[in-house]
Amino acid sequence: MKQHPNTKAVRIQIPRTEEMEHSAPLYLTSSFCFDDAEDMRAAFAGENEDNIYSRFSNPNVQEFIDKMCALESAEAGFATASGMSAIFGCFMAFLNSGDHLLSCSSVFGSTHTIITKYFSRWNIEYSYAEINNPASWESLIKPNTKMIYIETPTNPGLDIVDMEWLGKLAKKHNLLLVVDNCFATPILQKPVEFGADLVLHSATKWIDGQGRVLGGVVVGKKDLIHELYLFCRNTGPSLSPFNAWILSKSLETLDVRIQRHCDNAEALVAALDGHPKLNSIKYPFHPSHPMYEVAKKQMKRGGGLVTFDLKGGIESGKKFLDALQMLSLTSNLGDTRSIASHPASTTHSKLSAQEQQAVGITPGLIRISVGLENIEDIKTDILQALEKC
Ligand SMILES: *Cc1c(COP(=O)(O)O)cnc(C)c1O
């Protein structure tokens, strides 16, 4: 029976044991046994897919990967201990000394740090294109460019990159296209369909969706994933079976959660639109978004993150956070619980005003990760806090 990817995310399961359990058991084991020397030889020779050691593979981790591949329409995958180890693994497995990476400055903070602070140690070059200016990307491609790396929508700026256009550009110049799909999740967009070679996630965010575990995953073309697997199996950023078990269960509810997060985000945007305390509001599916048309083309819905710019700048931002009664003040996102953050006074406080502007962070920018509480309660808390700043 041909199944919808969302059905596969519910139904894919490692084979039942003789106990006939309904929910998958947890394989907390570091290594796996062999019947005899020949069996063991064949596994180490890569002649079969037998598990050897949990740094290489584990049934719970494989179940999570198989579901992610179904959701992302990808051939193969590898799961990692965090989103950052997925990103670092992609860089290290495919970029050699002398290679050049093309990206843009509004990538996730730690990704930006790897690129700008550590790449030079390994003699890897990079250029940052202007995110909203397609012509700037092509002009920065060099003979040694190997990879284009993007995030869309971006964190926290909610900028959108046109994946169809970039997919064609990568193909024309024979470059690897790697997409961080953390903010949209495969429920809202599938970068593989636009030509991405590798798609990665911080599974810590919407995929877990309940703020419990760290995790990461990379999916994509089989030969590339095999290279990534060999690199990671030797360097060790593997996902723990326990976290994989949690994340695999989480995928069973990903579609329903994301739809409700989107419902709530849309209702919040409608309630805040034109509010006198705000300069602007940003949401991928709001007509005022600079890349609204592109967002509509490549995403099914606008996602669960909303940002707005408070008129009073940095002081208003802090007052807003202090006035909230229900929303959590925490640096995570993609949780059942609504979260507010103020990048200018926290995650991005070390950047200069110019650098903040370059990544779309104004002093009064507030990022809301819209949760699954009743929407009236979310709106009430945010509106009453706006009155106090
Ligand atoms: C959080 C995040 C990461 C890093 O993931 P961790 O699981 O915290 O290591 C990478 N990309 C984006 C877009 C993120 O939001």
Side-chain angles (χ1 to χ4, degrees):
M1 189 175 109
K2 198 177 175 311
Q3 292 181 339
H4 189 281
N6 292 344
T7 304
K8 290 185 181 164
V10 175
R11 281 284 164 183
I12 285 176
Q13 188 166 343
I14 41 185
R16 290 208 170 100
T17 71
E18 62 201 18
E19 300 295 343
M20 293 299 284
E21 68 283 344
H22 190 208
S23 171
L26 180 47
Y27 288 90
L28 283 180
T29 177
S30 346
S31 66
F32 300 84
C33 296
F34 300 95
D35 284 336
D36 51 38
E38 168 52 23
D39 207 20
M40 196 161 181
R41 183 207 61 78
F44 273 82
E47 290 169 13
N48 57 40
E49 304 214 324
D50 287 357
N51 291 304
I52 298 173
Y53 190 59
S54 284
R55 168 150 48 78
F56 307 176
S57 66
N58 171 283
N60 295 115
V61 174
Q62 195 57 45
E63 184 186 279
F64 169 60
I65 292 170
D66 289 345
K67 288 181 177 184
M68 282 305 303
C69 289
L71 286 167
E72 288 281 13
S73 306
E75 294 169 7
F78 186 79
T80 56
S82 67
M84 285 323 302
S85 51
I87 294 166
F88 189 58
C90 280
F91 288 155
M92 289 298 106
F94 299 105
L95 296 175
N96 292 308
S97 171
D99 284 344
H100 172 255
L101 173 93
L102 180 56
S103 188
C104 60
S105 60
S106 45
V107 286
F108 183 67
S110 294
T111 310
H112 173 76
T113 304
I114 294 177
I115 294 172
T116 55
K117 183 165 174 201
Y118 295 108
F119 265 22
S120 59
R121 285 192 186 177
W122 306 299
N123 192 32
I124 299 169
E125 299 170 22
Y126 74 93
S127 304
Y128 277 162
E130 290 166 52
I131 190 159
N132 289 326
N133 174 7
S136 74
W137 293 79
E138 187 155 22
S139 69
L140 291 168
I141 294 174
K142 310 205 291 182
N144 59 339
T145 306
K146 177 89 179 281
M147 180 188 286
I148 298 181
Y149 179 91
I150 59 155
E151 198 177 299
T152 181
T154 60
N155 180 5
L158 294 183
D159 284 316
I160 303 285
V161 187
D162 186 337
M163 288 191 288
E164 185 183 14
W165 175 81
L166 217 53
K168 285 186 187 143
L169 186 71
K171 193 160 207 168
K172 178 174 155 198
H173 294 273
N174 199 21
L175 307 174
L176 287 177
L177 176 60
V178 183
V179 178
D180 180 338
N181 198 26
C182 173
F183 265 36
T185 82
I187 302 301
L188 302 179
Q189 74 185 13
K190 299 188 204 280
V192 164
E193 293 172 356
F194 298 99
D197 299 292
L198 294 166
V199 179
L200 59 87
H201 287 271
S202 165
T204 316
K205 312 292 170 54
W206 300 108
I207 289 177
D208 170 42
Q210 288 144 89
R212 300 166 298 185
V213 298
L214 292 176
V217 63
V218 186
V219 300
K221 300 207 169 105
K222 205 169 181 176
D223 53 335
L224 295 175
I225 292 294
H226 188 65
E227 243 179 274
L228 178 78
Y229 159 75
L230 292 176
F231 179 81
C232 290
R233 111 174 202 175
N234 287 299
T235 53
S238 320
L239 182 65
S240 89
F242 180 78
N243 287 7
W245 184 87
I246 296 268
L247 294 169
S248 180
K249 274 282 163 205
S250 295
L251 288 180
E252 296 179 17
T253 57
L254 185 66
D255 180 54
V256 286
R257 286 187 284 111
I258 294 295
Q259 300 301 344
R260 180 61 74 86
H261 283 293
C262 290
D263 291 345
N264 284 356
E266 286 164 11
L268 179 66
V269 168
L272 295 178
D273 207 0
H275 192 286
K277 294 279 170 82
L278 306 182
N279 283 324
S280 61
I281 178 158
K282 198 164 178 188
Y283 185 64
F285 270 34
H286 190 280
S288 68
H289 191 290
M291 298 291 257
Y292 174 69
E293 294 302 330
V294 178
K296 282 273 183 178
K297 179 180 73 174
Q298 67 193 25
M299 297 174 75
K300 290 204 174 79
R301 300 184 71 180
L305 286 137
V306 177
T307 66
F308 49 80
D309 184 35
L310 291 166
K311 279 188 177 151
I314 197 130
E315 284 313 311
S316 274
K318 289 199 254 175
K319 273 191 200 147
F320 175 79
L321 291 193
D322 283 341
L324 288 167
Q325 293 173 3
M326 180 182 80
L327 267 69
S328 310
L329 309 188
T330 178
S331 65
N332 199 16
L333 63 94
D335 197 302
T336 50
R337 299 171 171 188
S338 296
I339 295 165
S341 65
H342 180 221
S345 69
T346 57
T347 46
H348 294 71
S349 62
K350 290 198 189 74
L351 301 188
S352 69
Q354 213 174 8
E355 287 170 321
Q356 288 189 355
Q357 207 185 5
V359 296
I361 292 165
T362 53
L365 184 82
I366 297 287
R367 185 189 74 190
I368 306 286
S369 173
V370 185
L372 299 181
E373 303 95 338
N374 183 282
I375 182 58
E376 295 309 319
D377 294 332
I378 298 172
K379 284 196 296 197
T380 302
D381 194 24
I382 291 173
L383 289 170
Q384 68 79 25
L386 282 177
E387 291 316 309
K388 297 191 180 113
C389 53

